[in-house]
């Protein structure tokens, strides 16, 4: 059996086009242009690349973007003051604090400072708290897990009563993905580094979400025939034949798992493009929240 490919790049492109159209409608109808501010502290190369991609996406979609780069030795007060300034800036509808922050900074205290109405990453305690509570809705759903859910919907998954296994329990991917699956009435098992017999647990899954950061850990014999597999992992492996000397692989051994699964996301081109698309959607939502009619609704 060969699994159906879930094309994250195509889905992300469609969402981006929808957001771009809505941005122009908002600008024309309400004279409001959604705006995203990024806060980046330090010189981490990967973080700089991610922030660049986010600004480029804003540009392509007609979203205003404001880039704030602070030196690696920025103080807690400097970062918190900047967040306070952005909270008060009416041109800014979303604030993205690029993680990880340098070790000397208190990440939790900084994320706590981001106004809930501008928490487009959805990592603030109020948004995560609402996500975890029955019958409450967060203002913003964290981007990568939200992308995972959209891809599962694309794959035509029936969530209700499905056995879902999430590999990984991080604040930014595994845990919120598990909460979103529970909200859709799946029966969810969350696995982590102390889980016993991972392969046997994974084999129970109708829906398998892998977010561990271990190259090709999930093998074909971990997967129930016909399961839908979403691979969040983005791992660099050395590849002298590649132009950059490495290639990206997921947490799932794609070539063998695709022979067992019913549907599967590739890496790259699966969850990756969805994260930025959902960030753009959240920024639009942040701007929508400032429109009087929607705010009252
Ligand atoms: P973290 O390192 O924060 O979390 C990894 C999780 O996996 C932890 O819960 C850890 O368990 C668990 N884990 C690690 N090793 C094992 C193992 N051998 N067996 C079982 N569980 C294990 O990673 P993130 O959640 O931030 O990211 C996960 C992956 O997703 C990475 O490859 C990352 O690059 C990718 N990613 C991709 C994004 C995208 O846009 N496509 C966005 C964000 C992340 P424990 O809690 O016990 O330590």
């Amino acid at each position: 059996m060969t699994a159906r490919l879930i094309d994250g790049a195509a889905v992300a492109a469609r969402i981006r086009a929808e957001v771009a159209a809505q941005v122009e409608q908002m600008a024309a109808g309400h004279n409001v242009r959604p705006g995203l501010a990024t806060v980046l502290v330090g010189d981490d190369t990967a973080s700089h690349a991610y922030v660049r991609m986010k600004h480029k996406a804003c540009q392509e979609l007609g979203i205003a973007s404001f880039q704030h780069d602070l030196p690696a030795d920025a103080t807690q007060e400097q970062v918190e003051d900047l967040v306070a300034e952005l909270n008060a800036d009416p041109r800014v509808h979303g604030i993205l604090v690029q993680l990880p922050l340098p070790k000397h900074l208190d990440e939790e205290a900084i994320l706590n400072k981001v106004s809930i109405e501008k928490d487009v990453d959805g990592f603030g305690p109020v948004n995560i708290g609402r996500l975890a509570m029955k019958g409450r809705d967060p203002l913003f759903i964290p981007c990568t897990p939200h992308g995972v859910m959209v891809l599962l919907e694309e794959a035509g998954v029936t969530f209700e009563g499905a056995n879902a296994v999430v590999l990984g329990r991080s604040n930014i991917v595994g845990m919120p993905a598990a909460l979103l699956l529970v909200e859709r009435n799946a029966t969810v098992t969350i696995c982590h580094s102390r889980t016993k017999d991972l392969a046997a647990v994974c084999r129970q899954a109708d829906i398998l979400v892998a977010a561990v950061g271990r190259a090709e850990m999930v093998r074909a014999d971990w997967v129930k025939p016909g399961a839908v597999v979403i691979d969040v992992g983005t791992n660099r492996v050395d590849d002298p034949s590649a132009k950059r000397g490495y290639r990206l692989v997921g947490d799932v051994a794609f070539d063998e798992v695709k022979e067992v699964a019913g549907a599967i996301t590739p890496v790259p081109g699966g969850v990756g493009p969805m994260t930025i698309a959902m960030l753009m959607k959240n920024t639009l939502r942040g701007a929508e929240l400032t429109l009087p009619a929607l705010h009252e609704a």
Side-chain angles (χ1 to χ4, degrees):
M1 176 173 143
T2 301
R4 192 156 59 80
L5 201 67
I6 308 169
D7 186 347
V11 178
R14 194 185 69 216
I15 292 171
R16 286 165 71 128
E18 287 164 6
V19 170
Q22 286 169 289
V23 165
E24 290 320 315
Q25 267 174 23
M26 185 181 283
H30 299 275
N31 201 23
V32 172
R33 183 159 297 277
L36 175 72
T38 59
V39 177
L40 174 57
V41 187
D43 312 314
D44 183 75
T45 318
S47 292
H48 274 271
Y50 291 139
V51 165
R52 262 199 312 277
M53 282 160 70
K54 288 164 189 173
H55 285 279
K56 184 165 171 272
C58 284
Q59 234 169 32
E60 287 168 4
L61 273 55
I63 292 175
S65 70
F66 309 93
Q67 186 167 352
H68 297 270
D69 294 352
L70 297 176
D73 61 354
T75 64
Q76 183 78 18
E77 195 184 0
Q78 273 175 308
V79 184
E80 290 190 12
D81 285 352
L82 174 57
V83 170
E85 213 177 279
L86 297 171
N87 280 338
D89 187 338
R91 297 168 307 162
V92 172
H93 304 100
I95 301 171
L96 184 137
V97 179
Q98 186 65 41
L99 302 177
L101 290 166
K103 295 249 178 311
H104 69 280
L105 295 172
D106 180 346
E107 176 185 304
E108 190 181 358
I110 290 166
L111 293 182
N112 278 348
K113 285 276 185 280
V114 176
S115 148
I116 178 179
E117 286 88 7
K118 299 190 180 188
D119 177 25
V120 284
D121 246 347
F123 295 155
V126 178
N127 269 316
I128 291 288
R130 285 189 181 173
L131 192 63
M133 291 168 87
K134 201 171 173 193
R136 307 272 168 87
D137 289 319
L139 282 180
F140 301 100
I141 299 172
C143 302
T144 303
H146 196 180
V148 167
M149 296 303 286
V150 171
L151 292 181
L152 285 169
E153 274 160 20
E154 274 306 306
V157 156
T158 304
F159 292 97
E160 181 116 2
N163 283 335
V165 172
V166 180
L167 281 172
R169 57 174 165 181
S170 74
N171 291 339
I172 63 171
V173 192
M175 192 55 80
L179 293 170
L180 288 166
L181 286 161
V182 169
E183 201 228 337
R184 297 295 297 271
N185 297 323
T187 302
V188 181
T189 306
I190 303 170
C191 300
H192 45 77
S193 62
R194 319 294 204 283
T195 300
K196 287 184 188 146
D197 201 353
L198 273 177
V201 179
C202 290
R203 267 195 299 274
Q204 303 300 315
D206 305 306
I207 298 168
L208 181 59
V209 177
V212 277
R214 300 272 180 270
E216 301 183 323
M217 189 176 87
V218 177
R219 310 306 302 243
D221 62 353
W222 293 32
V223 176
K224 179 175 173 176
V228 177
V229 179
I230 306 287
D231 190 354
V232 185
T234 314
N235 310 291
R236 280 183 183 193
V237 294
D238 292 340
D239 181 353
S241 70
K243 214 164 75 185
R244 290 179 293 191
Y246 66 87
R247 66 194 161 88
L248 291 180
V249 300
D251 291 341
V252 176
F254 181 85
D255 287 340
E256 54 181 78
V257 171
K258 78 176 186 339
E259 300 303 324
V260 182
I264 187 169
T265 57
V267 176
V271 177
M274 293 299 290
T275 299
I276 289 189
M278 302 324 285
L279 175 66
M280 297 297 110
K281 206 172 158 69
N282 276 355
T283 305
L284 172 67
R285 176 162 166 72
E288 283 169 352
L289 290 171
T290 66
L291 302 180
L294 282 171
H295 209 50
E296 282 155 22

